[in-house]
Amino acid sequence: MESHTLHRGTVPLLVSLPHNGSFIPKDVEARMKRPARRSADTDWHVQQLYAFARGIGASMLVPTASRYVVDLNRPSDGHALYPGRKETGLVPTVQFDGSDIYRPGAEPGAEEIAERVKKWWKPYHRALADELSRLRKKHGRVVLWEGHSIRSHVPMLFDGRLPDFNLGTADGASCSTALQERLTALLAAQNDYSWVVNGRFKGGYITRHYGKPEDGIDAIQLELAQVNYMDEDSFAYLPKKAEQVQVLIKAMLEACLA
């Protein structure tokens, strides 16, 4: 099975969807607790939500495997992104609700984790780096857009309800000031969705590692509350709600090309 799919676009924009994958190998699934097999923490339907981006010429990179197999938005050495805060790791053993993923004693060991990194993590990141290089060489600059989504209430990670749009730029380090200001202005100009910039989600490993505005690579992460486009209990995609939120997301992607 291929670790990812890559659509090569024509404009200097790469949409990366590292948590869209939901595949769990049978040997891994057999060791998981039954509730975890739903892969509830998947960024459900973001590939469908961002499908329009191909129409504006963007490249798109989508993984196959679930984040429960390996989290592509974590560093391969497993170090924490938010030291001192609760978070899931490179190969999670707990879900966002705090429940265990694996049956007692069935958690993956160091050798298995290394194999998962080799099979799933490294190919995704090679493809990501290569596509960024191709687009930067062609256009002189490129924007990496990290498309994520999460349930609107995740007590393990944050208190209360998450804002609808959570824009992360590593506190301004991963993209140019001008681009962050353009995106912030779009959020501020509308009243349909709540939003925050560099709040609880400042951008994960991909945003922080690849975002080098001084070298012509701007990286932005959008963590979108799933309630805006899907039913968070059944995981059903809600087309009408999705169409509404796509209007603002599209405006933001187009601002990246300005």
Side-chain angles (χ1 to χ4, degrees), residues 8-9 59 129-139:
R8 290 188 172 91
S59 295
D130 288 349
E131 184 63 5
L132 286 174
S133 178
R134 182 185 77 86
L135 292 171
R136 184 173 58 169
K137 287 179 181 177
K138 181 177 180 179
H139 301 282

Side-chain angles (χ1 to χ4, degrees), residues 240-256:
K240 289 185 178 180
K241 295 191 76 172
E243 288 173 6
Q244 181 178 350
V245 79
Q246 283 171 327
V247 173
L248 181 52
I249 297 174
K250 183 177 181 182
M252 297 175 77
L253 292 186
E254 290 174 338
C256 292

